[in-house]
Amino acid sequence: MADNAQGSSSQSYWEGYKEFWSERFSFLDNYSKFIKRDKPIPSWSSSDVEDFIASDPVHGPVLKSAREAVQFGVTGSALGALFTAGYAWKYSRSLHGAGLSFLAGGIFGWTFGHEVANHALQLYRVDTLAAEAKFLEWWNKKTGGY
């Protein structure tokens, strides 16, 4: 009897835990129909993305801004990685320290670059996730995926 009560208690705890995190990551539901598929969506090129940007007056400009924001992240990542690794190498002459600094600087630079892009391109005002989901729907229709 006590064994059964403990089993249902741990099961209810697990259900509560899953519900808690599913609420926090509910934005992933937008992508679930594109990820959980039997046959993957075909690859697309930059010209396909440009076609979508030209064809959708609402989500096209948002997707274009989101693509431009990636350049901020890449630049921030490169600068962060090189400067922190160089600083670590200059003062410690430790290869593993410089390597770890390179990795950490790349991650921090990517994050900082995206924050700069959010403010410079005012991405905080728009829903980039919806634009990406609309592009995937458009691409799926165009390639005959439905």
Side-chain angles (χ1 to χ4, degrees), residues 69 72 111-125:
F72 282 83
T111 304
F112 188 71
H114 270 283
E115 282 301 313
V116 169
N118 275 333
H119 293 288
L121 302 174
Q122 297 182 350
L123 293 178
Y124 55 86
R125 293 183 176 192

Short mmCIF file of all heavy atoms in Angstrom, two decimals, residues 69 72 111-125:
data_model
loop_
_atom_site.label_atom_id
_atom_site.label_comp_id
_atom_site.label_asym_id
_atom_site.label_seq_id
_atom_site.Cartn_x
_atom_site.Cartn_y
_atom_site.Cartn_z
N ALA A 69 20.60 40.22 -38.15
CA ALA A 69 21.04 40.13 -36.76
C ALA A 69 22.08 39.04 -36.57
O ALA A 69 22.93 39.12 -35.67
CB ALA A 69 19.85 39.88 -35.85
N PHE A 72 25.57 40.34 -36.69
CA PHE A 72 26.02 40.94 -35.42
C PHE A 72 26.54 39.85 -34.48
O PHE A 72 27.56 40.03 -33.83
CB PHE A 72 24.86 41.67 -34.73
CG PHE A 72 24.54 43.02 -35.31
CD1 PHE A 72 23.73 43.14 -36.42
CD2 PHE A 72 25.04 44.16 -34.72
CE1 PHE A 72 23.42 44.37 -36.95
CE2 PHE A 72 24.73 45.40 -35.22
CZ PHE A 72 23.91 45.51 -36.36
N THR A 111 26.38 36.26 -27.67
CA THR A 111 25.26 36.78 -26.88
C THR A 111 25.22 38.30 -26.91
O THR A 111 24.17 38.91 -27.13
CB THR A 111 25.37 36.28 -25.43
OG1 THR A 111 25.45 34.86 -25.44
CG2 THR A 111 24.19 36.72 -24.60
N PHE A 112 26.38 38.91 -26.72
CA PHE A 112 26.44 40.37 -26.73
C PHE A 112 26.10 40.92 -28.11
O PHE A 112 25.40 41.93 -28.24
CB PHE A 112 27.83 40.83 -26.29
CG PHE A 112 27.94 42.31 -26.09
CD1 PHE A 112 27.31 42.92 -25.02
CD2 PHE A 112 28.66 43.08 -26.98
CE1 PHE A 112 27.40 44.29 -24.84
CE2 PHE A 112 28.75 44.45 -26.82
CZ PHE A 112 28.12 45.06 -25.74
N GLY A 113 26.57 40.25 -29.16
CA GLY A 113 26.26 40.67 -30.52
C GLY A 113 24.77 40.62 -30.81
O GLY A 113 24.21 41.51 -31.46
N HIS A 114 24.11 39.59 -30.31
CA HIS A 114 22.66 39.50 -30.51
C HIS A 114 21.92 40.57 -29.72
O HIS A 114 20.89 41.08 -30.18
CB HIS A 114 22.15 38.11 -30.15
CG HIS A 114 22.15 37.20 -31.32
ND1 HIS A 114 21.21 37.26 -32.31
CD2 HIS A 114 23.00 36.21 -31.69
CE1 HIS A 114 21.46 36.35 -33.22
NE2 HIS A 114 22.56 35.70 -32.87
N GLU A 115 22.40 40.91 -28.55
CA GLU A 115 21.78 41.99 -27.79
C GLU A 115 21.94 43.32 -28.51
O GLU A 115 21.01 44.13 -28.55
CB GLU A 115 22.37 42.07 -26.38
CG GLU A 115 21.85 41.02 -25.45
CD GLU A 115 20.35 41.07 -25.28
OE1 GLU A 115 19.79 42.18 -25.06
OE2 GLU A 115 19.71 40.01 -25.38
N VAL A 116 23.10 43.56 -29.08
CA VAL A 116 23.31 44.78 -29.86
C VAL A 116 22.37 44.79 -31.05
O VAL A 116 21.74 45.81 -31.36
CB VAL A 116 24.79 44.89 -30.30
CG1 VAL A 116 24.97 46.00 -31.32
CG2 VAL A 116 25.69 45.12 -29.10
N ALA A 117 22.23 43.66 -31.72
CA ALA A 117 21.32 43.58 -32.87
C ALA A 117 19.88 43.80 -32.46
O ALA A 117 19.11 44.45 -33.19
CB ALA A 117 21.47 42.23 -33.55
N ASN A 118 19.48 43.26 -31.31
CA ASN A 118 18.11 43.47 -30.84
C ASN A 118 17.79 44.94 -30.68
O ASN A 118 16.69 45.38 -31.01
CB ASN A 118 17.88 42.75 -29.50
CG ASN A 118 17.51 41.32 -29.68
OD1 ASN A 118 16.96 40.93 -30.70
ND2 ASN A 118 17.81 40.51 -28.69
N HIS A 119 18.75 45.70 -30.20
CA HIS A 119 18.50 47.13 -30.01
C HIS A 119 18.74 47.92 -31.29
O HIS A 119 17.96 48.84 -31.59
CB HIS A 119 19.37 47.67 -28.87
CG HIS A 119 18.96 47.11 -27.55
ND1 HIS A 119 17.80 47.47 -26.92
CD2 HIS A 119 19.54 46.19 -26.75
CE1 HIS A 119 17.68 46.81 -25.79
NE2 HIS A 119 18.73 46.02 -25.65
N ALA A 120 19.76 47.60 -32.04
CA ALA A 120 20.06 48.36 -33.25
C ALA A 120 18.98 48.15 -34.32
O ALA A 120 18.58 49.09 -35.00
CB ALA A 120 21.42 47.95 -33.81
N LEU A 121 18.49 46.91 -34.44
CA LEU A 121 17.47 46.61 -35.45
C LEU A 121 16.06 46.60 -34.87
O LEU A 121 15.10 46.32 -35.58
CB LEU A 121 17.77 45.25 -36.10
CG LEU A 121 19.14 45.12 -36.76
CD1 LEU A 121 19.37 43.70 -37.22
CD2 LEU A 121 19.25 46.10 -37.92
N GLN A 122 15.96 46.89 -33.59
CA GLN A 122 14.69 46.94 -32.86
C GLN A 122 13.89 45.65 -33.01
O GLN A 122 12.69 45.65 -33.23
CB GLN A 122 13.86 48.14 -33.30
CG GLN A 122 14.55 49.45 -32.98
CD GLN A 122 13.72 50.66 -33.35
OE1 GLN A 122 12.70 50.56 -34.01
NE2 GLN A 122 14.18 51.81 -32.92
N LEU A 123 14.59 44.53 -32.86
CA LEU A 123 13.93 43.24 -32.97
C LEU A 123 13.05 42.93 -31.77
O LEU A 123 12.20 42.04 -31.84
CB LEU A 123 14.98 42.13 -33.13
CG LEU A 123 15.76 42.16 -34.42
CD1 LEU A 123 16.80 41.04 -34.43
CD2 LEU A 123 14.85 42.03 -35.61
N TYR A 124 13.23 43.65 -30.68
CA TYR A 124 12.39 43.43 -29.51
C TYR A 124 10.95 43.85 -29.76
O TYR A 124 10.05 43.50 -29.02
CB TYR A 124 12.96 44.17 -28.29
CG TYR A 124 13.16 45.65 -28.50
CD1 TYR A 124 12.14 46.55 -28.30
CD2 TYR A 124 14.40 46.12 -28.91
CE1 TYR A 124 12.34 47.90 -28.51
CE2 TYR A 124 14.61 47.47 -29.11
CZ TYR A 124 13.57 48.36 -28.91
OH TYR A 124 13.77 49.69 -29.11
N ARG A 125 10.70 44.60 -30.82
CA ARG A 125 9.35 45.06 -31.15
C ARG A 125 8.58 44.07 -32.03
O ARG A 125 7.38 44.22 -32.17
CB ARG A 125 9.41 46.39 -31.88
CG ARG A 125 9.91 47.51 -31.04
CD ARG A 125 9.88 48.78 -31.83
NE ARG A 125 10.26 49.90 -30.98
CZ ARG A 125 10.11 51.15 -31.31
NH1 ARG A 125 9.58 51.46 -32.48
NH2 ARG A 125 10.46 52.10 -30.49
#
